[in-house]
Amino acid sequence: PWLLVAQGVQCVTARAPPAAMATVSATPSYLPMALVDKCIGSRIWVVMKGDKELVGTLRGFDDFVNMVLDDVSEYTFTAAGKQVTKLDTILLNGNNITMMVPGGDPDNKEE
């Protein structure tokens, strides 16, 4: 309750009922870096700026989302079609990453 003092007299006034409170959702929410951290050791599909996509096992990343992937398939899309290159390990610059799909693979698209 609010306490008012006027001319040496104390008055107790009733406080207005509280506004409706937002409910807490049962679905968990993650910060982006925490979500990427949960993907370490898992397969991840990374879409890069330009015409490249990569699928590999995420080994690590830093605050700039530079990533190290192992057992990588690099997909390059050109007018002639799709070219696939296999790589053991690659270091990706986070500035060139546009999207990451945990567990995704461009060859396993749903119809």
Side-chain angles (χ1 to χ4, degrees):
W2 294 97
L3 181 63
L4 299 176
V5 178
Q7 298 177 3
V9 178
Q10 291 186 351
C11 310
V12 177
T13 60
R15 190 187 314 197
M21 304 276 300
T23 58
V24 176
S25 173
T27 46
S29 63
Y30 299 105
L31 294 173
M33 296 299 271
L35 184 58
V36 176
D37 189 50
K38 290 173 94 43
C39 296
I40 291 179
S42 301
R43 298 290 285 173
I44 189 166
W45 174 15
V46 181
V47 179
M48 305 293 287
K49 290 181 185 176
D51 60 353
K52 292 190 188 286
E53 298 180 10
L54 298 106
V55 176
T57 303
L58 180 62
R59 290 295 167 217
F61 69 98
D62 63 10
D63 290 340
F64 300 102
V65 195
N66 298 316
M67 297 181 152
V68 176
L69 300 177
D70 286 341
D71 189 27
V72 179
S73 296
E74 177 184 42
Y75 299 87
T76 305
F77 300 94
T78 64
K82 177 173 69 172
Q83 178 185 0
V84 181
T85 307
K86 300 288 185 181
L87 304 166
D88 290 331
T89 303
I90 191 167
L91 171 63
L92 301 177
N93 184 327
N95 286 330
N96 296 317
I97 295 172
T98 59
M99 182 174 66
M100 298 177 287
V101 182
D105 193 335
D107 286 335
N108 296 332
K109 290 182 181 174
E110 293 182 16
E111 311 247 346

